[in-house]
Amino acid sequence: MGNTTSTAAATSTKPTLLEAKGSEWIELVLTEKTEISPNTAIYHLALPDKDVSLGLPIGQHIQVMAEIDRKEVTRSYTPISSNDDLGVLDLLIKSYPTGLLSRWFTTLNVGDKVRIRGPKGNFKYAPNMVKTLGMIAGGSGITPMLQIAKAILKNPNDSTKVNLIFANVNPSDILLKTELDSLCASDDRFSVYYVLNNPDEGWTGGVGFVTKDMISEHAGTPDGSTKILLCGPPPMIKAMQGLCEELGFAKARIVSKIEDDIFKF
């Protein structure tokens, strides 16, 4: 992470950046780029004021816009920094061959500007909204899950159990594993079950594709007090939605609403 982060948000009385700017596009400067795998990096952006918080509601995301081939391209991202981190916005972005904006990020140099606005999204987390949050993530789809999980674990009055299934192809594709394992070890409200297509010898997690049995054992069951959150590549989301519905969770809408059993980011 960048070394400019302050964690004194609780003492700040200033309006947050998103409150102050409303729906305006905001230009932020790239201060640092940390590569964490051959196709993934953390982009550290400076807010206009080092003492201001981003102010993103938990469960929501920001939009990023760039001009690519003379066309404006917009994508949504969930920061891995929190509202406690003053003056900074950290984005974990995995570059995909067909991802226009994710590939654009790889061309950025320190000092370049990135345009953002927000908040966006239909999910806004509230403490104890359900007894169990079952999360199924693939690849960089881990970011909204981590945002919500960290908010829950920071709150001693939130008794929500968070069960995460994190699916990837290779061991090297597991993003933020050190942080996830640390959260799991430090708080029994959080569990994580890793699934790999190509595991190393001695692997003790899941192998292949996520199954109904994995979901019921490691995420949750449709008991009336469990909500399933999905984020990852579209084919995976479609498959996971189908499996969750087969287990008995209420059929998901095309555009998810916060009251749904199955919410797709």
Side-chain angles (χ1 to χ4, degrees), residues 83-200:
N83 292 328
D84 292 334
D85 300 323
L86 301 184
V88 297
L89 167 62
D90 292 341
L91 296 176
L92 172 73
I93 298 178
K94 184 173 183 176
S95 178
Y96 293 94
T98 58
L100 289 176
L101 204 58
S102 66
R103 285 190 289 113
W104 173 82
F105 264 99
T106 66
T107 69
L108 296 180
N109 297 308
V110 169
D112 288 344
K113 293 181 178 179
V114 177
R115 283 178 287 177
I116 73 154
R117 71 177 177 186
K120 300 290 181 180
N122 291 330
F123 191 90
K124 187 182 290 188
Y125 181 75
N128 298 303
M129 64 189 296
V130 290
K131 287 185 178 178
T132 303
L133 276 180
M135 302 175 168
I136 307 174
S140 57
I142 190 61
T143 55
M145 309 306 188
L146 182 62
Q147 178 205 44
I148 295 167
K150 286 168 68 175
I152 291 170
L153 301 182
K154 282 180 182 178
N155 184 355
N157 298 315
D158 193 337
S159 60
T160 305
K161 184 75 171 73
V162 182
N163 300 327
L164 168 66
I165 296 176
F166 191 15
N168 289 279
V169 177
N170 302 304
S172 60
D173 296 322
I174 304 176
L175 303 174
L176 304 172
K177 188 175 187 299
T178 300
E179 183 168 6
L180 293 170
D181 289 345
S182 176
L183 291 175
C184 190
S186 63
D187 198 312
D188 60 10
R189 289 175 291 171
F190 181 71
S191 69
V192 58
Y193 182 71
Y194 299 105
V195 181
L196 291 176
N197 290 114
N198 303 316
D200 290 335

Side-chain angles (χ1 to χ4, degrees), residues 22-48:
S23 61
E24 294 177 35
W25 287 102
I26 309 161
E27 284 196 336
L28 304 181
V29 176
L30 178 68
T31 59
E32 188 179 348
K33 178 177 169 180
T34 305
E35 292 187 2
I36 61 172
S37 79
N39 60 358
T40 306
I42 298 172
Y43 296 84
H44 308 278
L45 305 170
L47 304 188

Side-chain angles (χ1 to χ4, degrees), residues 183-240:
L183 291 175
C184 190
S186 63
D187 198 312
D188 60 10
R189 289 175 291 171
F190 181 71
S191 69
V192 58
Y193 182 71
Y194 299 105
V195 181
L196 291 176
N197 290 114
N198 303 316
D200 290 335
E201 187 176 348
W203 175 253
T204 58
V207 177
F209 295 107
V210 176
T211 65
K212 280 196 293 185
D213 286 344
M214 289 180 189
I215 294 171
S216 59
E217 183 176 353
H218 298 287
T221 55
D223 56 8
S225 61
T226 297
K227 186 185 294 290
I228 297 291
L229 308 182
L230 304 176
C231 192
M236 176 188 172
I237 297 305
K238 183 178 180 181
M240 294 303 100

